[in-house]
Amino acid sequence: MTISLIIMAAYFLDRLIGDPRWLPHPVIGMGYAISALEKAIRRQVSSDRGLKRAGILLPFLVAGGSFAVAWGLLRLLAWIHPWLSVGAEIVLIATTIASKGLKDAGMAVYRQLQVGDLPAARRELGMIVGRDTQQLDEPEIVRGTVETVAENIVDAIISPLFYALIGGAPLALAYRAVNTLDSMVGYKNEKYLHLGWASARLDDVANYIPARLTAVMLVAAAWMFRHDAARSWRTVKRDARLHPSPNSGFPESAVAGALGIRLGGYNVYHGVRSFRAYMGEGLRPLESEDIRHTIRLMFTVSSMFAGLCLLGAAGCFALEWIQ
């Protein structure tokens, strides 16, 4: 079975069951490993220079270890029986993506807004964002949800599938390790400025191509659903690089342009107010239906990428048949 078909199977497995709580998840293991390594490093190193050097070592150990464990497991299973390896690779790749989880999280906020329960909507949003949500009104709750879903189209779906296409489950898991490192230590604060700098930079590099590819596919998806694809493309070109992240601005600006809304603005993190550059023109007020529109765009883009993988597999079969 080609990697393209394995990716298709993994994608639909995630769409079907997501991440069941009873199934051990590799990211949890990565999180434990990162915490243990951080404690070990801080016991041995205290200087800024030492932490910076250790920061280079950290992603090599975690991402490299994730790659090696997955590669070794698949080789062992292939030695027992090839189909065991195929089945394991499908499951492992499925654990690196989160299309169902992203949809469920967004729709949880949407449902609370539909019944007018703002406190519950704020709590649901607080489960998926780092900003303070206790005082947000409905448009700001919608903005936070749309931004999170749009941004995570890259991190939680397209990037892991992209790396699975290149290097199978081992490389997809290595990417997930890099992404987990960024979420745990990749902060520009006093605690992680030196230890986490390499993890944050590596995450930026890893998402560079997938983020731009996602923006192009979002423009195509906007055209398919009769949103304003031309405005979506203009907004990407104008606003994407204004985002503090070198990658997150691409999906966010594409969605903002497609829906005619404005993302970005003031957020509060642990009581501190912070401004994020505006994305889009704000031709109309944000409303709860924008969450559903964004989720539909997310599923369209992820299905589009999986479909491209299937076309690649069909092309390979055709070439083999001709030869």
Side-chain angles (χ1 to χ4, degrees):
M1 182 181 284
T2 68
I3 189 60
S4 297
L5 292 177
I6 288 173
I7 287 171
M8 281 289 293
Y11 171 67
F12 283 112
L13 180 62
D14 176 70
R15 285 282 297 265
L16 183 64
I17 66 171
D19 295 317
R21 296 187 179 215
W22 54 266
L23 186 66
H25 201 285
V27 170
I28 296 175
M30 293 172 191
Y32 284 132
I34 293 166
S35 296
L37 283 169
E38 180 186 350
K39 289 176 183 176
I41 288 169
R42 292 189 185 279
R43 281 197 297 267
Q44 301 296 324
V45 181
S46 58
S47 68
D48 292 348
R49 188 175 181 182
L51 287 172
K52 206 158 191 175
R53 288 177 175 174
I56 299 173
L57 183 64
L58 194 57
F60 278 102
L61 289 174
V62 179
S66 299
F67 183 98
V69 169
W71 183 84
L73 175 64
L74 293 176
R75 289 285 297 231
L76 174 63
L77 292 174
W79 178 74
I80 298 171
H81 195 285
W83 283 106
L84 281 176
S85 179
V86 169
E89 188 151 29
I90 290 170
V91 172
L92 287 174
I93 293 173
T95 66
T96 67
I97 56 181
S99 59
K100 185 178 185 297
L102 198 53
K103 182 264 291 183
D104 290 345
M107 290 303 295
V109 179
Y110 172 81
R111 284 191 292 270
Q112 299 301 338
L113 291 176
Q114 288 298 101
V115 298
D117 192 342
L118 288 185
R122 293 178 188 125
R123 286 195 297 273
E124 294 290 353
L125 178 61
M127 300 291 289
I128 56 174
V129 298
R131 71 192 70 173
D132 299 345
T133 63
Q134 296 89 343
Q135 305 300 321
L136 298 183
D137 59 14
E138 181 167 340
E140 285 297 294
I141 293 171
V142 172
R143 177 170 74 86
T145 308
V146 169
E147 287 174 351
T148 298
V149 172
E151 177 182 355
N152 280 284
I153 296 172
V154 178
D155 294 359
I157 305 172
I158 301 302
S159 283
L161 290 179
F162 176 82
Y163 287 105
L165 186 62
I166 296 172
L171 194 57
L173 283 163
Y175 165 77
R176 179 53 65 203
V178 169
N179 192 244
T180 305
L181 276 163
D182 182 58
S183 67
M184 291 183 67
V185 304
Y187 299 104
K188 293 181 180 179
N189 56 25
E190 185 177 351
K191 183 177 182 181
Y192 290 114
L193 181 62
H194 301 291
L195 182 62
W197 73 274
S199 297
R201 292 281 182 85
L202 186 57
D203 185 72
D204 289 343
V205 171
N207 286 310
Y208 186 90
I209 293 174
R212 286 144 184 84
L213 179 60
T214 299
V216 172
M217 291 191 294
L218 279 167
V219 172
W223 175 81
M224 291 170 60
F225 287 108
R226 298 189 177 182
H227 297 305
D228 196 325
R231 186 176 60 224
S232 178
W233 182 243
R234 288 197 307 270
T235 306
V236 170
K237 291 195 294 182
R238 185 190 67 206
D239 296 342
R241 289 175 176 82
L242 301 177
H243 198 283
S245 162
N247 299 312
S248 298
F250 284 85
E252 288 187 28
S253 60
V255 169
L259 301 182
I261 58 177
R262 189 175 75 175
L263 302 176
Y266 285 98
N267 299 327
V268 178
Y269 298 93
H270 306 293
V272 179
R273 204 162 182 244
S274 173
F275 178 75
R276 179 177 290 182
Y278 289 122
M279 306 271 136
E281 299 166 10
L283 302 177
R284 60 174 180 79
L286 285 153
E287 55 189 30
S288 61
E289 285 302 312
D290 291 319
I291 297 173
R292 283 204 321 118
H293 290 315
T294 305
I295 291 171
R296 184 168 65 173
L297 289 171
M298 177 265 290
F299 274 136
T300 303
V301 165
S302 55
S303 298
M304 197 181 297
F305 188 87
L308 290 173
C309 292
L310 184 60
L311 284 176
C316 290
F317 282 133
L319 286 173
E320 288 179 9
W321 183 78
I322 291 171
Q323 292 172 356

